[in-house]
Amino acid sequence: MKKIYHILLFLVVALFFFSACNDEWKEEQYEHYVSFKAPLNDLGVTQIYVSYKADEVSNYKLPVVVSGSTLNQQDMTVNIALDPDTLEVLNYERFQNRTDLYYEQLRDTFFTMPSTVDIKAGEDVALLNIDFNFKNIDLADKWILPLTIVPDTENQAYTPHPRKHYKKALLRVMPFNDYSGTYGAANLKTYIKGSENGAPIVKSNIQLYVVDDHTVFFYAGMVDENRMDRHNYKVYAELDEETNEVRLFSDNPDMIFESYSTPTFTVDEQMDVTRPYLLKRTIIIEGIDFSFRDYSTSDVVDFDFTVRGQIAMERRINTQIPDEDQAIEW
């Protein structure tokens, strides 16, 4: 009989603790802080890809979220503002006195956005609509759209997240078209002019940046975005979809650019074998053969280079996702 009482007592105590645990999770475990969903990469920024449209507006939706273990129960109007101060701090901490490498704040001619976003009661996420107009943008500059959540000092209807990486967003804006992106460049060889039979200089990858719907640019030879004079060494590639020919040219006469061939490009599309919803689009640009002069590396002598070979990029597209910028696996 005594044993039965012990068992009943144990069950009562267990039921009490079980109920207490359940009641505990009905209450908020954290705080209803407001933050951006903008995770940082290893460069301290959030890289976003937005489709390039020459004469149209491209839209990007930045999530604004309410944290916590329970559902948000009140309407909020969250104030959003530009944050040049945080961008200034990032630039100095990352690049120190190398001002040529600094990120630049995106000019207001390239975007429009509201100053507030509404989060309704019963919802934990709202979307900040940012409209971009990329016409005439120069991607040799590294554009950042710095945003911050402004505290509601008047009504105190919400509290920005206390951690700065949550209440701030440093958006590295990267417009893209059908041909921009990171290409494998193992077969693109750079030679000192006159020594084309010698050992080449090779980069593993090369970045192609948007100019317009059918034109991209890349940096000649071993120049990349870490060169302070990178603006002087842009090689433009205009792709003709009717002839599949590529016209290479430069807008800098001091570069003494000369193309010796008419490169061609091919686009091959195949569905992935293991993931049948995934479209693999491969772009190959071959027959590249040009020369250019590096006139700014040395104050004493100019260097002439020949560049030959091909580059290739595979873009993976999830056909189940309707939004193009979200469908591409960057």
Side-chain angles (χ1 to χ4, degrees), residues 64-323:
V64 181
V65 301
V66 182
S67 64
S69 61
T70 61
L71 199 62
N72 167 47
Q73 298 297 329
Q74 62 176 332
D75 292 331
M76 301 179 184
T77 297
V78 180
N79 298 299
I80 310 294
L82 294 175
D83 189 12
D85 292 340
T86 297
L87 179 58
E88 183 178 348
V89 171
L90 170 73
N91 277 329
Y92 184 76
E93 289 184 350
R94 184 160 293 274
F95 304 114
Q96 298 296 309
N97 295 322
R98 284 290 307 272
T99 56
D100 52 291
L101 297 181
Y102 277 20
Y103 294 112
E104 293 191 39
Q105 182 171 318
L106 188 66
R107 296 172 190 161
D108 56 12
T109 55
F110 294 128
F111 76 96
T112 57
M113 53 170 273
S115 59
T116 62
V117 60
D118 293 325
I119 304 177
K120 298 179 181 179
E123 298 180 358
D124 290 326
V125 180
L127 299 175
L128 175 67
N129 285 297
I130 308 173
D131 290 330
F132 293 98
N133 185 344
F134 294 122
K135 189 172 184 179
N136 298 324
I137 192 170
D138 186 356
L139 293 181
D141 297 311
K142 301 187 294 184
W143 300 108
I144 290 283
L145 180 58
L147 303 176
T148 187
I149 297 174
V150 181
D152 183 8
T153 56
E154 183 176 350
N155 300 316
Q156 297 184 344
Y158 65 89
T159 303
H161 201 289
R163 294 189 177 182
K164 64 178 181 179
H165 296 314
Y166 289 84
K167 68 180 177 182
K168 298 178 183 295
L170 295 170
L171 305 180
R172 171 78 192 274
V173 183
M174 291 294 291
F176 70 91
N177 63 15
D178 290 340
Y179 309 106
S180 64
T182 303
Y183 283 69
N187 292 318
L188 186 67
K189 306 181 188 304
T190 300
Y191 304 89
I192 296 176
K193 195 170 185 179
S195 301
E196 288 79 4
N197 293 325
I201 307 169
V202 178
K203 291 195 295 187
S204 57
N205 296 301
I206 187 171
Q207 186 74 30
L208 271 60
Y209 303 86
V210 167
V211 177
D212 58 37
D213 289 329
H214 297 95
T215 308
V216 292
F217 79 83
F218 58 94
Y219 298 113
M222 301 307 292
V223 179
D224 59 24
E225 68 173 17
N226 293 319
R227 277 271 294 258
M228 66 174 61
D229 55 354
R230 59 187 179 275
H231 293 75
N232 299 329
Y233 294 98
K234 293 190 290 185
V235 177
Y236 296 89
E238 184 180 49
L239 294 89
D240 189 326
E241 293 180 348
E242 293 185 0
T243 64
N244 284 88
E245 293 182 345
V246 181
R247 184 172 75 93
L248 299 180
F249 62 96
S250 170
D251 59 0
N252 178 15
D254 293 334
M255 189 176 163
I256 312 182
F257 176 87
E258 188 172 357
S259 180
Y260 303 106
S261 66
T262 302
T264 58
F265 72 96
T266 57
V267 179
D268 179 65
E269 294 185 347
Q270 293 183 1
M271 304 306 295
D272 189 85
V273 176
T274 58
R275 293 187 288 173
Y277 58 86
L278 197 66
L279 174 65
K280 296 190 297 184
R281 178 179 295 151
T282 303
I283 302 173
I284 300 175
I285 302 177
E286 56 188 348
I288 298 171
D289 187 0
F290 67 85
S291 64
F292 74 98
R293 173 166 294 176
D294 182 344
Y295 60 91
S296 55
T297 296
S298 171
D299 295 331
V300 179
V301 63
D302 296 335
F303 299 97
D304 293 322
F305 294 98
T306 299
V307 180
R308 292 174 178 170
Q310 68 177 39
I311 56 177
M313 175 185 70
E314 182 181 87
R315 182 175 286 179
R316 294 172 175 261
I317 305 169
N318 189 333
T319 57
Q320 296 178 330
I321 300 176
D323 294 333

Side-chain angles (χ1 to χ4, degrees), residues 26-38:
K26 292 179 182 179
E27 300 178 358
E28 179 57 56
Q29 301 299 301
Y30 304 102
E31 295 287 346
H32 280 163
Y33 293 132
V34 178
S35 61
F36 292 117
K37 185 179 179 181

